[in-house]
Amino acid sequence: KENRNGPGVAVVDGKIFVLGGVGTRKQALDSVEVFSVEEGKWLPEISFPSMPFKCEEPAVATIGNKIFVFTNVKTTRIQR
């Protein structure tokens, strides 16, 4: 939905999470967008809050239903 370059991407429970990246004005993003594969649509923004920090080109890993975001700024875990 939001134009971005270099986001982190993870798949958990049939949902594609798009995290951070660089926006159209070359700014780092803290937004999290989620696409439900089952429903075939993007979920409302209020379903998933922004990350507590902005990050460009984060590395992302999943363990079970947890998403870990690694960046040169900070490391955090986003829980559902």
Side-chain angles (χ1 to χ4, degrees):
K1 293 172 27 174
E2 181 174 359
N3 289 333
R4 62 178 80 212
N5 290 314
V9 178
V11 178
V12 175
D13 292 336
K15 294 178 180 66
I16 302 170
F17 291 76
V18 181
L19 308 114
V22 180
T24 56
R25 289 182 248 151
K26 309 285 188 227
Q27 79 283 15
L29 300 172
D30 60 358
S31 56
V32 176
E33 296 180 324
V34 183
F35 185 83
S36 170
V37 175
E38 182 179 317
E39 296 177 49
K41 66 179 186 177
W42 291 97
L43 299 179
E45 288 84 6
I46 57 170
S47 300
F48 297 90
S50 294
M51 296 183 292
F53 55 88
K54 298 175 186 244
C55 59
E56 301 175 9
E57 301 180 350
V60 177
T62 60
I63 299 176
N65 67 350
K66 294 182 171 78
I67 299 173
F68 294 85
V69 179
F70 302 90
T71 175
N72 60 353
V73 177
K74 198 177 200 180
T75 302
T76 193
R77 181 180 75 214
I78 299 172
Q79 294 182 322
R80 295 185 331 153

XYZ file of all heavy atoms in Angstrom:
617
model
N 0.818 -1.191 0.000
C 0.000 0.000 0.000
C 0.857 1.249 0.000
O 0.656 2.114 -0.821
C -0.931 0.001 1.195
C -1.961 -1.098 1.116
C -2.803 -1.294 2.343
C -2.989 -0.117 3.202
N -3.902 -0.294 4.298
N 1.788 1.358 0.924
C 2.679 2.524 0.966
C 3.885 2.239 0.073
O 4.478 1.163 0.166
C 3.143 2.767 2.407
C 4.038 3.963 2.574
C 4.362 4.246 4.036
O 3.882 3.519 4.927
O 5.098 5.201 4.269
N 4.225 3.187 -0.786
C 5.414 2.996 -1.624
C 6.644 2.988 -0.737
O 6.837 3.887 0.078
C 5.528 4.123 -2.655
C 4.467 4.019 -3.725
O 3.989 2.933 -4.021
N 4.091 5.133 -4.289
N 7.476 1.968 -0.908
C 8.679 1.850 -0.086
C 9.701 1.003 -0.810
O 9.362 0.150 -1.614
C 8.353 1.269 1.284
C 7.790 -0.136 1.224
C 7.519 -0.736 2.590
N 6.273 -0.257 3.145
C 6.057 -0.085 4.446
N 6.980 -0.375 5.320
N 4.909 0.349 4.885
N 10.948 1.230 -0.489
C 12.062 0.412 -0.977
C 12.729 -0.226 0.224
O 12.794 0.366 1.304
C 13.093 1.270 -1.720
C 12.569 1.776 -3.036
O 11.983 1.028 -3.798
N 12.767 3.054 -3.296
N 13.252 -1.416 0.028
C 14.054 -2.078 1.057
C 13.352 -2.425 2.345
O 13.958 -2.336 3.412
N 12.072 -2.862 2.310
C 11.449 -3.266 3.572
C 11.898 -4.661 3.985
O 12.430 -5.418 3.170
C 9.958 -3.285 3.225
C 9.942 -3.722 1.800
C 11.156 -3.042 1.182
N 11.675 -4.988 5.239
C 11.804 -6.361 5.688
C 10.472 -7.050 5.420
O 9.419 -6.409 5.474
N 10.509 -8.332 5.109
C 9.275 -9.070 4.812
C 9.306 -10.399 5.567
O 10.334 -11.075 5.601
C 9.135 -9.326 3.293
C 7.887 -10.126 2.999
C 9.122 -8.008 2.526
N 8.181 -10.745 6.164
C 8.061 -12.021 6.868
C 6.672 -12.592 6.609
O 5.721 -11.843 6.370
C 8.267 -11.815 8.367
N 6.570 -13.915 6.683
C 5.280 -14.591 6.537
C 5.002 -15.360 7.821
O 5.822 -16.172 8.258
C 5.284 -15.559 5.332
C 3.956 -16.290 5.233
C 5.588 -14.807 4.044
N 3.849 -15.074 8.425
C 3.425 -15.749 9.646
C 1.928 -16.015 9.542
O 1.149 -15.100 9.244
C 3.717 -14.889 10.905
C 3.160 -15.550 12.155
C 5.200 -14.634 11.065
N 1.529 -17.249 9.785
C 0.107 -17.626 9.808
C -0.659 -17.146 8.578
O -1.759 -16.610 8.689
C -0.569 -17.077 11.072
C -0.072 -17.747 12.337
O 0.414 -18.902 12.256
O -0.148 -17.124 13.411
N -0.078 -17.302 7.404
C -0.777 -16.932 6.179
C -0.889 -15.436 5.932
O -1.671 -14.992 5.111
N -0.086 -14.660 6.660
C -0.083 -13.214 6.477
C 1.328 -12.758 6.100
O 2.309 -13.246 6.656
C -0.539 -12.502 7.745
C -1.998 -12.786 8.076
C -2.410 -12.116 9.346
C -3.857 -12.405 9.678
N -4.127 -13.794 9.996
N 1.402 -11.827 5.153
C 2.684 -11.264 4.737
C 2.858 -9.921 5.442
O 2.037 -9.016 5.272
C 2.729 -11.080 3.213
C 2.504 -12.421 2.512
C 4.054 -10.447 2.788
C 2.289 -12.306 1.013
N 3.909 -9.811 6.243
C 4.214 -8.589 6.986
C 5.294 -7.821 6.233
O 6.331 -8.382 5.884
C 4.730 -8.928 8.387
C 3.676 -9.507 9.292
C 3.261 -10.821 9.154
C 3.087 -8.729 10.275
C 2.281 -11.362 9.974
C 2.107 -9.254 11.111
C 1.703 -10.570 10.959
N 5.051 -6.547 5.974
C 6.010 -5.665 5.311
C 6.411 -4.616 6.346
O 5.565 -3.861 6.842
C 5.374 -5.006 4.063
C 6.378 -4.115 3.368
C 4.846 -6.078 3.117
N 7.703 -4.584 6.693
C 8.162 -3.786 7.831
C 9.250 -2.791 7.438
O 10.247 -3.159 6.818
C 8.731 -4.728 8.900
C 7.802 -5.865 9.307
C 8.368 -7.194 8.888
C 7.551 -5.839 10.774
N 9.045 -1.537 7.828
C 10.068 -0.515 7.619
C 10.379 -0.287 6.152
O 9.541 -0.460 5.272
N 11.621 0.125 5.897
C 12.055 0.433 4.546
C 12.264 1.932 4.377
O 12.325 2.684 5.349
N 12.335 2.365 3.122
C 12.564 3.776 2.805
C 11.374 4.274 1.988
O 11.011 3.680 0.976
C 13.872 3.954 2.003
C 14.100 5.411 1.667
C 15.050 3.394 2.787
N 10.777 5.371 2.436
C 9.609 5.935 1.768
C 9.972 6.772 0.556
O 11.153 6.944 0.217
N 8.961 7.317 -0.082
C 9.152 8.072 -1.322
C 9.945 9.355 -1.122
O 10.545 9.855 -2.053
C 7.793 8.426 -1.964
O 7.001 9.133 -1.012
C 7.068 7.174 -2.402
N 9.954 9.900 0.091
C 10.737 11.106 0.373
C 12.104 10.771 0.976
O 12.703 11.570 1.664
C 9.955 12.040 1.295
C 8.791 12.685 0.570
C 8.052 13.632 1.471
N 6.742 13.026 1.691
C 6.008 13.182 2.760
N 6.434 13.913 3.753
N 4.844 12.596 2.855
N 12.552 9.536 0.742
C 13.863 9.056 1.201
C 13.979 9.011 2.730
O 15.069 9.085 3.273
C 15.005 9.910 0.628
C 14.952 10.087 -0.868
C 15.381 8.848 -1.591
C 15.490 9.127 -3.071
N 14.877 8.161 -3.895
N 12.843 8.871 3.420
C 12.850 8.802 4.872
C 12.695 7.355 5.329
O 12.003 6.569 4.686
C 11.731 9.677 5.466
C 10.331 9.073 5.430
C 9.625 9.118 4.076
O 10.223 9.360 3.043
N 8.330 8.836 4.085
N 13.343 7.010 6.427
C 13.176 5.676 7.014
C 11.751 5.558 7.545
O 11.160 6.536 8.006
C 14.184 5.462 8.131
N 11.195 4.350 7.468
C 9.814 4.116 7.891
C 9.752 3.216 9.121
O 10.610 2.350 9.315
C 9.030 3.455 6.755
C 8.940 4.239 5.449
C 8.294 3.379 4.361
C 8.169 5.523 5.652
N 8.715 3.429 9.927
C 8.463 2.556 11.080
C 7.146 1.789 10.906
O 6.715 1.067 11.790
C 8.430 3.356 12.378
C 7.350 4.431 12.404
O 6.633 4.604 11.392
O 7.224 5.108 13.444
N 6.537 1.932 9.749
C 5.218 1.345 9.534
C 5.278 -0.168 9.292
O 6.277 -0.703 8.830
C 4.515 2.031 8.362
O 5.302 1.958 7.205
N 4.180 -0.810 9.642
C 3.999 -2.247 9.435
C 2.705 -2.420 8.644
O 1.654 -1.949 9.076
C 3.889 -3.012 10.771
C 3.609 -4.491 10.525
C 5.141 -2.814 11.611
N 2.789 -3.060 7.492
C 1.601 -3.347 6.698
C 1.465 -4.855 6.575
O 2.473 -5.570 6.492
C 1.701 -2.690 5.330
C 1.727 -1.170 5.434
C 1.828 -0.493 4.099
O 2.509 -1.013 3.196
O 1.225 0.570 3.959
N 0.229 -5.325 6.570
C -0.012 -6.765 6.597
C -1.025 -7.140 5.517
O -2.109 -6.553 5.438
C -0.529 -7.214 7.980
C -0.714 -8.722 8.019
C 0.426 -6.765 9.073
N -0.643 -8.128 4.704
C -1.517 -8.654 3.662
C -1.970 -10.044 4.061
O -1.153 -10.916 4.351
C -0.779 -8.712 2.320
C -1.642 -9.140 1.178
C -2.453 -8.224 0.524
C -1.658 -10.456 0.762
C -3.269 -8.621 -0.536
C -2.470 -10.865 -0.293
C -3.272 -9.937 -0.944
N -3.289 -10.263 4.093
C -3.840 -11.576 4.402
C -3.963 -12.363 3.102
O -4.743 -11.989 2.216
C -5.212 -11.445 5.065
O -5.823 -12.718 5.157
N -3.212 -13.433 2.988
C -3.271 -14.269 1.788
C -4.653 -14.917 1.672
O -5.241 -14.961 0.595
C -2.152 -15.333 1.813
C -2.273 -16.279 0.635
C -0.787 -14.659 1.837
N -5.198 -15.371 2.782
C -6.504 -16.033 2.787
C -7.610 -15.092 2.304
O -8.467 -15.469 1.512
C -6.823 -16.530 4.197
C -8.141 -17.268 4.297
C -8.396 -17.770 5.712
O -7.458 -18.291 6.324
O -9.541 -17.630 6.175
N -7.593 -13.837 2.784
C -8.627 -12.870 2.412
C -8.315 -12.158 1.101
O -9.189 -11.527 0.508
C -8.802 -11.838 3.520
C -9.301 -12.425 4.824
C -9.390 -11.390 5.908
O -9.974 -10.310 5.657
O -8.868 -11.635 7.008
N -7.054 -12.205 0.679
C -6.655 -11.537 -0.549
C -6.690 -10.029 -0.468
O -6.959 -9.351 -1.456
N -6.422 -9.481 0.733
C -6.456 -8.029 0.890
C -5.542 -7.575 2.018
O -5.138 -8.361 2.880
C -7.876 -7.543 1.166
C -8.442 -8.016 2.495
C -9.846 -7.478 2.711
C -10.344 -7.842 4.110
N -11.659 -7.272 4.370
N -5.218 -6.278 1.963
C -4.431 -5.658 3.025
C -5.326 -5.454 4.239
O -6.490 -5.074 4.104
C -3.878 -4.309 2.576
C -2.841 -4.444 1.525
C -3.023 -4.329 0.177
C -1.459 -4.730 1.722
N -1.835 -4.539 -0.482
C -0.856 -4.778 0.446
C -0.661 -4.950 2.839
C 0.500 -5.040 0.274
C 0.678 -5.210 2.664
C 1.256 -5.249 1.398
N -4.784 -5.713 5.426
C -5.547 -5.523 6.653
C -5.483 -4.056 7.073
O -4.536 -3.347 6.730
C -4.997 -6.433 7.747
C -5.078 -7.927 7.423
C -4.481 -8.746 8.546
C -6.513 -8.353 7.168
N -6.466 -3.593 7.839
C -6.470 -2.188 8.268
C -5.226 -1.838 9.080
O -4.714 -2.671 9.842
C -7.721 -2.088 9.143
C -8.556 -3.268 8.792
C -7.614 -4.335 8.324
N -4.756 -0.608 8.925
C -3.544 -0.161 9.624
C -3.671 -0.290 11.138
O -2.695 -0.538 11.820
C -3.220 1.294 9.265
C -2.708 1.473 7.860
C -3.826 1.572 6.824
O -5.018 1.621 7.198
O -3.508 1.581 5.631
N -4.879 -0.124 11.653
C -5.052 -0.173 13.106
C -4.835 -1.576 13.666
O -4.674 -1.739 14.864
C -6.432 0.359 13.536
C -7.549 -0.434 12.857
C -6.568 1.835 13.247
C -8.930 -0.148 13.375
N -4.812 -2.590 12.796
C -4.602 -3.964 13.251
C -3.184 -4.188 13.768
O -2.960 -5.036 14.623
C -4.871 -4.949 12.113
O -6.183 -4.827 11.660
N -2.218 -3.434 13.222
C -0.820 -3.633 13.579
C -0.160 -2.276 13.767
O -0.051 -1.503 12.825
C -0.098 -4.434 12.485
C -0.676 -5.806 12.329
C -1.714 -6.036 11.441
C -0.226 -6.855 13.106
C -2.286 -7.288 11.317
C -0.792 -8.113 12.987
C -1.821 -8.332 12.095
N 0.277 -1.975 14.980
C 0.886 -0.667 15.238
C 2.249 -0.539 14.561
O 2.863 -1.532 14.173
C 1.029 -0.644 16.753
C 1.121 -2.084 17.143
C 0.260 -2.828 16.144
N 2.728 0.690 14.448
C 4.064 0.941 13.919
C 5.102 0.353 14.859
O 4.846 0.136 16.044
C 4.304 2.441 13.780
O 3.443 2.978 12.808
N 6.295 0.125 14.328
C 7.401 -0.338 15.156
C 7.863 0.815 16.048
O 7.610 1.982 15.734
C 8.559 -0.812 14.268
C 8.202 -2.012 13.422
S 9.596 -2.614 12.444
C 9.806 -1.268 11.279
N 8.561 0.542 17.123
C 9.009 1.619 18.021
C 10.213 2.395 17.472
O 10.749 3.251 18.162
C 9.367 0.875 19.312
C 9.677 -0.514 18.871
C 8.809 -0.774 17.666
N 10.624 2.110 16.252
C 11.760 2.794 15.638
C 11.632 2.725 14.128
O 10.928 1.877 13.596
C 13.091 2.154 16.068
C 13.130 0.677 15.786
C 13.566 0.201 14.556
C 12.709 -0.233 16.731
C 13.582 -1.157 14.277
C 12.714 -1.598 16.465
C 13.157 -2.051 15.235
N 12.290 3.620 13.427
C 12.315 3.610 11.958
C 13.527 2.818 11.508
O 14.572 2.867 12.171
C 12.386 5.037 11.428
C 11.178 5.852 11.815
C 11.331 7.292 11.393
C 10.178 8.080 11.934
N 9.311 8.644 10.966
N 13.392 2.099 10.408
C 14.542 1.320 9.949
C 14.533 1.162 8.436
O 13.487 0.949 7.831
C 14.596 -0.032 10.633
S 13.153 -1.062 10.387
N 15.713 1.282 7.858
C 15.916 1.068 6.432
C 16.503 -0.325 6.233
O 17.406 -0.716 6.954
C 16.909 2.090 5.882
C 16.485 3.528 6.055
C 17.554 4.500 5.598
O 18.556 4.072 4.995
O 17.381 5.689 5.860
N 15.979 -1.048 5.281
C 16.491 -2.364 4.906
C 16.762 -3.284 6.109
O 17.869 -3.792 6.284
C 17.747 -2.206 4.056
C 17.488 -1.417 2.793
C 18.723 -1.248 1.921
O 19.830 -1.574 2.358
O 18.545 -0.791 0.785
N 15.762 -3.512 6.945
C 15.984 -4.391 8.090
C 16.113 -5.849 7.669
O 15.581 -6.255 6.635
C 14.716 -4.200 8.919
C 13.671 -3.893 7.904
C 14.383 -3.058 6.860
N 16.809 -6.607 8.465
C 16.809 -8.062 8.322
C 15.672 -8.567 9.204
O 15.427 -8.026 10.283
C 18.142 -8.638 8.780
N 14.956 -9.564 8.733
C 13.789 -10.061 9.458
C 13.873 -11.577 9.550
O 14.265 -12.248 8.594
C 12.489 -9.639 8.729
C 11.271 -10.206 9.418
C 12.399 -8.129 8.642
N 13.513 -12.105 10.713
C 13.470 -13.555 10.908
C 12.198 -13.899 11.680
O 11.668 -13.068 12.413
C 14.695 -14.024 11.682
N 11.723 -15.115 11.491
C 10.566 -15.573 12.258
C 10.918 -16.848 13.005
O 11.692 -17.673 12.531
C 9.353 -15.852 11.341
O 9.700 -16.865 10.401
C 8.909 -14.607 10.617
N 10.340 -16.967 14.180
C 10.405 -18.204 14.958
C 8.984 -18.427 15.465
O 8.467 -17.615 16.238
C 11.397 -18.118 16.134
C 12.813 -17.859 15.621
C 11.337 -19.388 16.970
C 13.846 -17.662 16.708
N 8.369 -19.484 14.978
C 6.960 -19.702 15.314
C 6.132 -18.559 14.773
O 6.213 -18.220 13.604
N 5.345 -17.924 15.646
C 4.533 -16.793 15.197
C 5.117 -15.449 15.620
O 4.428 -14.439 15.623
C 3.088 -16.925 15.694
C 2.984 -16.811 17.201
O 3.980 -16.811 17.912
N 1.768 -16.733 17.697
N 6.397 -15.440 15.950
C 7.075 -14.201 16.345
C 7.941 -13.696 15.200
O 8.572 -14.471 14.492
C 7.919 -14.427 17.581
C 7.090 -14.750 18.802
C 7.973 -14.927 20.009
C 7.155 -15.040 21.264
N 6.545 -16.296 21.490
N 7.955 -12.383 15.031
C 8.770 -11.741 14.004
C 9.861 -10.949 14.705
O 9.587 -10.144 15.595
C 7.920 -10.794 13.134
C 6.810 -11.565 12.425
C 8.806 -10.067 12.130
C 5.823 -10.688 11.691
N 11.100 -11.171 14.296
C 12.241 -10.439 14.844
C 12.782 -9.506 13.761
O 12.992 -9.930 12.628
C 13.335 -11.405 15.295
C 12.917 -12.269 16.451
C 12.211 -13.445 16.239
C 13.211 -11.898 17.748
C 11.812 -14.241 17.296
C 12.815 -12.680 18.825
C 12.120 -13.855 18.594
N 12.977 -8.250 14.117
C 13.473 -7.242 13.187
C 14.858 -6.814 13.653
O 15.025 -6.397 14.799
C 12.530 -6.022 13.139
C 13.066 -4.972 12.194
C 11.135 -6.453 12.721
N 15.838 -6.913 12.752
C 17.217 -6.547 13.072
C 17.621 -5.367 12.201
O 17.428 -5.386 10.990
C 18.158 -7.719 12.804
C 17.797 -8.959 13.568
C 16.937 -9.895 13.020
C 18.290 -9.172 14.835
C 16.586 -11.040 13.709
C 17.949 -10.317 15.541
C 17.093 -11.254 14.979
N 18.160 -4.355 12.820
C 18.589 -3.163 12.103
C 19.802 -2.596 12.816
O 20.122 -3.009 13.921
C 17.439 -2.141 12.019
O 17.915 -0.953 11.415
C 16.858 -1.821 13.364
N 20.453 -1.652 12.178
C 21.617 -1.060 12.827
C 21.217 -0.103 13.943
O 22.054 0.396 14.663
C 22.495 -0.330 11.801
C 21.762 0.776 11.100
O 20.557 0.955 11.266
N 22.474 1.535 10.288
N 19.915 0.135 14.117
C 19.435 1.036 15.160
C 19.135 0.280 16.439
O 19.570 0.634 17.507
C 18.163 1.792 14.686
C 17.617 2.670 15.788
C 18.466 2.590 13.446
N 18.379 -0.798 16.321
C 17.863 -1.503 17.483
C 17.346 -2.863 17.024
O 17.061 -3.055 15.866
C 16.699 -0.675 18.038
C 16.291 -0.956 19.418
C 15.179 0.032 19.779
C 15.031 0.160 21.256
N 13.973 1.094 21.618
N 17.169 -3.780 17.939
C 16.556 -5.062 17.624
C 15.311 -5.187 18.481
O 15.338 -4.860 19.668
C 17.509 -6.229 17.922
O 18.693 -6.033 17.163
C 16.889 -7.556 17.561
N 14.235 -5.643 17.918
C 13.008 -5.790 18.677
C 12.221 -6.989 18.186
O 12.552 -7.562 17.160
C 12.147 -4.512 18.591
O 11.121 -4.597 19.573
C 11.527 -4.347 17.225
N 11.205 -7.361 18.924
C 10.325 -8.448 18.535
C 8.913 -7.875 18.454
O 8.459 -7.192 19.364
C 10.376 -9.564 19.561
C 9.489 -10.735 19.198
C 9.550 -11.837 20.217
N 8.782 -11.417 21.376
C 9.101 -11.738 22.626
N 10.153 -12.446 22.892
N 8.363 -11.327 23.620
N 8.243 -8.137 17.363
C 6.863 -7.684 17.202
C 5.962 -8.869 17.472
O 6.100 -9.907 16.842
C 6.647 -7.146 15.771
C 7.565 -5.956 15.526
C 5.191 -6.779 15.557
C 7.555 -5.499 14.102
N 5.062 -8.717 18.431
C 4.157 -9.801 18.771
C 2.770 -9.499 18.254
O 2.361 -8.356 18.181
C 4.090 -9.974 20.286
C 5.406 -10.439 20.872
C 5.282 -10.655 22.356
O 4.612 -9.919 23.041
N 5.937 -11.695 22.848
N 2.052 -10.561 17.921
C 0.665 -10.399 17.505
C -0.201 -10.259 18.715
O 0.038 -10.720 19.762
C 0.185 -11.616 16.727
C 0.885 -11.803 15.471
C 0.331 -12.922 14.662
N -0.270 -13.950 15.496
C -1.214 -14.741 15.126
N -1.700 -14.647 13.954
N -1.712 -15.667 15.888
